[in-house]
Amino acid sequence: MSDIQAQFSVLKQTADPGAVEAIQRLIEQGEDHELNRINVIDFSKQYGLNEERAISAFLHSARLGLFDLGWNVLCPGCGGVLGAHSTLKSLKSDDYNCALCACGYKASVDEAVEVSFTVSPRVRRIAAHDPDSLPVWDYFKQMFWSSGVDFNKEQFATLANEVTLDTLELPPGEKATMSLQLPNDFVIVFEPVTHAAHFIDVQGEPTKERQQLAIMYNKVQAPTGTTTLRPGPLRLSLDNQTGMRVLPTVFIAADALHQLIGKRKPFLTAKRMLSNQTFRDVFKADNLNIDQRLQITSLTFLFTDLKGSTALYERVGDLAAFDLVRAHFHALLEIIASEKGAVVKTIGDAVMATFVKPEDALVAGLRMRSAMEELNKKRGSEDLVLKIGIHEGPCLAVMLNERQDYFGRTVNIAARVQSVSMAQEIHITGPVLDAPAVATILEQWSIKPIQKQAALRGIADKMVVYELP
């Protein structure tokens, strides 16, 4: 048995069989470009797989060495990859600049960081493992633009033939010229390898005189400059001093270009990955550095606690209480994972979990309450009284006590909202109640929220919270 076959044998023991079969078929039969920066959400849709199971299968595959995990900082404007990283620890907290859009962005992990998978060169060698071998348009599609930009062959033909004035491959140390006819449109000379751009503001009366413009590429990331020229002939001189191949391309920055790169499809975000239980379990070493802070603009937190757990040990004895608490933990952790959440930590008899969407946290909370009721029914007692609080908002992803954790006011409020509960209750905040899908869930469960004012310990002002009876 080969090493790869052995890896797949192990994978079948830890991941969903259907997802493993689809991954194996892709590696064996897929085209090169399909194995570079795989969009797992798109992959799940194509193969009819459950997204969470597919994500888990790819994570286990990466742990076994079948794929390389990538964290790519994306430009929210054009969808270009501004920074490609092999580990979460490499993400910077400062700005990433997009020369094509002439904008700077913070590396928020909400929608700005894509998580993708590329087949390992030890498993199968593909063209993207040697980016300098890629033709210009393959380089744009596979290396510059992310897996979330929705291109098909016809759209790429439009990009190459209708939106582009010219493009060329310029080896290191070489010089070249382009002879162009400038239209009465804004023009961008963009180079995807160095991420350098120069804008040409074409305006005024057309001219027949040849205009001149010189651009030099080197290792210094220069700010995007603008030159004003008139419609008509242009001699564009290009000088490559970078020590690597460059691919200067001249785009017409009109509606056609914006429409092409503006089409998006869902992709796996870093925020979703950080709230994935499989990732937290198998990629502990790929978490943040101790001094790293990543901003998340929206995350949902769920806190639970057992009411009167100390009295429970006194009432039923240590052994019975321990078994009961362990059964409660098993039920909670299983529900959290099945509802697209991840356990951040347990503190005594309490659980802290995160979810990408408020509706997933709400369904998890409702299922938890039902699970405790079922456990109590089996025992013929009311020993397990679970208090639950849910809140959504911005936070920071950090490392605390060698564990990837979260910090900020949102976390504090979520913990305090849980403490409002006095019995087997769930309390949520306004941001959770206002989430688009939450009203439908409450209607399905025949629940009418009860509004109340709550004084939360450590929070200056009283807050409006909602009890779910």
Side-chain angles (χ1 to χ4, degrees):
M1 180 184 291
S2 69
D3 290 343
I4 296 174
Q5 289 175 323
Q7 288 171 313
F8 271 109
S9 296
V10 174
L11 185 60
K12 290 175 182 177
Q13 299 173 24
T14 57
D16 177 74
V20 174
E21 182 181 338
I23 290 171
Q24 188 168 7
R25 190 159 65 248
L26 176 67
I27 289 177
E28 293 173 352
Q29 303 174 13
E31 296 184 24
D32 274 16
H33 70 87
E34 295 177 308
L35 288 160
N36 180 52
R37 289 183 180 168
I38 297 167
N39 179 334
V40 181
I41 307 304
D42 201 37
F43 177 87
S44 304
K45 184 178 179 180
Q46 290 177 13
Y47 284 86
L49 301 170
N50 174 277
E51 285 184 4
E52 292 301 310
R53 292 176 183 173
I55 293 170
S56 179
F58 270 98
L59 284 169
H60 283 295
S61 299
R63 172 54 71 193
L64 290 170
L66 294 170
F67 291 94
D68 294 325
L69 188 58
W71 304 79
N72 306 318
V73 180
L74 310 183
C75 171
C78 67
V81 175
L82 307 182
H85 304 283
S86 60
T87 173
L88 183 61
K89 294 178 180 180
S90 302
L91 263 68
K92 302 178 294 184
S93 59
D94 53 350
D95 289 348
Y96 286 80
N97 295 301
C98 179
L100 185 59
C101 297
C103 290
Y105 303 99
K106 291 285 185 184
S108 163
V109 302
D110 291 65
E111 303 299 333
V113 179
E114 160 200 68
V115 183
S116 63
F117 297 82
T118 298
V119 68
S120 169
R122 295 183 300 274
V123 174
R124 175 175 159 182
R125 191 82 190 176
I126 60 173
H129 290 142
D130 182 15
D132 281 347
S133 70
L134 291 170
V136 57
W137 294 118
D138 285 330
Y139 188 94
F140 267 106
K141 186 173 183 179
Q142 294 191 50
M143 306 307 298
F144 178 71
W145 275 305
S146 74
S147 68
V149 178
D150 193 4
F151 279 124
N152 57 38
K153 290 183 179 179
E154 291 75 18
Q155 291 167 331
F156 235 82
T158 300
L159 180 68
N161 299 324
E162 298 180 22
V163 180
T164 305
L165 291 178
D166 203 356
T167 185
L168 62 82
E169 178 178 332
L170 190 59
E174 297 288 325
K175 297 180 181 180
T177 59
M178 288 182 181
S179 294
L180 306 171
Q181 188 71 26
L182 291 179
N184 193 14
D185 283 299
F186 200 81
V187 170
I188 302 175
V189 184
F190 180 65
E191 202 294 297
V193 180
T194 60
H195 289 215
H198 192 93
F199 296 161
I200 303 176
D201 187 5
V202 184
Q203 56 179 272
E205 292 295 320
T207 180
K208 293 183 179 180
E209 295 182 7
R210 185 174 297 279
Q211 304 165 100
Q212 305 282 341
L213 178 63
I215 297 176
M216 181 179 68
Y217 298 107
N218 53 34
K219 295 181 180 180
V220 178
Q221 184 66 53
T224 301
T226 302
T227 300
T228 301
L229 296 173
R230 293 162 63 184
L234 169 67
R235 178 184 174 88
L236 179 61
S237 301
L238 303 163
D239 183 2
N240 180 11
Q241 298 183 8
T242 64
M244 56 187 174
R245 178 190 74 157
V246 295
L247 303 168
T249 304
V250 186
F251 291 123
I252 302 172
D255 289 344
L257 175 63
H258 297 303
Q259 289 173 5
L260 281 171
I261 64 178
K263 294 181 179 180
R264 297 286 188 273
K265 54 187 175 183
F267 59 85
L268 179 58
T269 64
K271 179 174 78 168
R272 182 166 179 180
M273 186 62 87
L274 291 177
S275 289
N276 179 277
Q277 193 63 57
T278 303
F279 174 73
R280 293 188 68 99
D281 289 343
V282 304
F283 275 88
K284 296 176 182 178
D286 197 31
N287 281 331
L288 304 171
N289 284 319
I290 190 67
D291 58 349
Q292 201 172 4
R293 310 284 185 270
L294 290 182
Q295 184 176 354
I296 300 176
T297 58
S298 172
L299 196 63
T300 303
F301 292 88
L302 181 149
F303 280 82
T304 74
D305 197 14
L306 279 178
K307 181 181 179 182
S309 57
T310 302
L312 173 64
Y313 279 84
E314 292 290 331
R315 187 167 62 254
V316 304
D318 289 348
L319 185 59
F322 176 77
D323 287 342
L324 192 56
V325 171
R326 186 172 60 178
H328 132 274
F329 271 131
H330 178 76
L332 265 53
L333 302 190
E334 190 175 75
I335 290 170
I336 290 167
S338 67
E339 295 299 336
K340 305 177 185 178
V343 176
V344 178
K345 57 188 172 184
T346 58
I347 312 163
D349 299 326
V351 172
M352 173 185 175
T354 58
F355 297 81
V356 173
K357 298 179 180 179
E359 55 265 32
D360 294 330
L362 175 59
V363 172
L366 293 169
R367 288 183 57 196
M368 288 174 181
R369 184 163 65 179
S370 298
M372 295 307 102
E373 291 172 353
E374 187 64 28
L375 283 173
N376 284 332
K377 184 178 178 181
K378 287 180 179 179
R379 284 180 51 85
S381 69
E382 296 295 328
D383 288 328
L384 293 174
V385 179
L386 189 67
K387 305 188 299 177
I388 300 173
I390 306 173
H391 180 49
E392 180 265 342
C395 63
L396 290 175
V398 300
M399 283 296 287
L400 289 174
N401 301 321
E402 299 183 348
R403 180 194 296 116
Q404 194 255 303
D405 209 332
Y406 298 92
F407 177 81
R409 190 169 185 267
T410 296
V411 182
N412 296 336
I413 290 174
R416 300 294 182 261
V417 168
Q418 172 270 124
S419 66
V420 173
S421 299
M422 301 304 294
Q424 195 102 297
E425 297 169 351
I426 300 173
H427 282 85
I428 65 175
T429 59
V432 176
L433 185 66
D434 293 339
V438 164
T440 302
I441 294 169
L442 294 177
E443 184 178 345
Q444 291 171 345
W445 286 70
S446 302
I447 294 174
K448 292 185 177 181
I450 301 171
Q451 180 177 319
K452 58 174 74 171
Q453 290 275 344
L456 305 181
R457 182 168 57 86
I459 308 299
D461 300 322
K462 284 189 174 181
M463 281 191 62
V464 174
V465 298
Y466 298 87
E467 179 187 338
L468 306 183

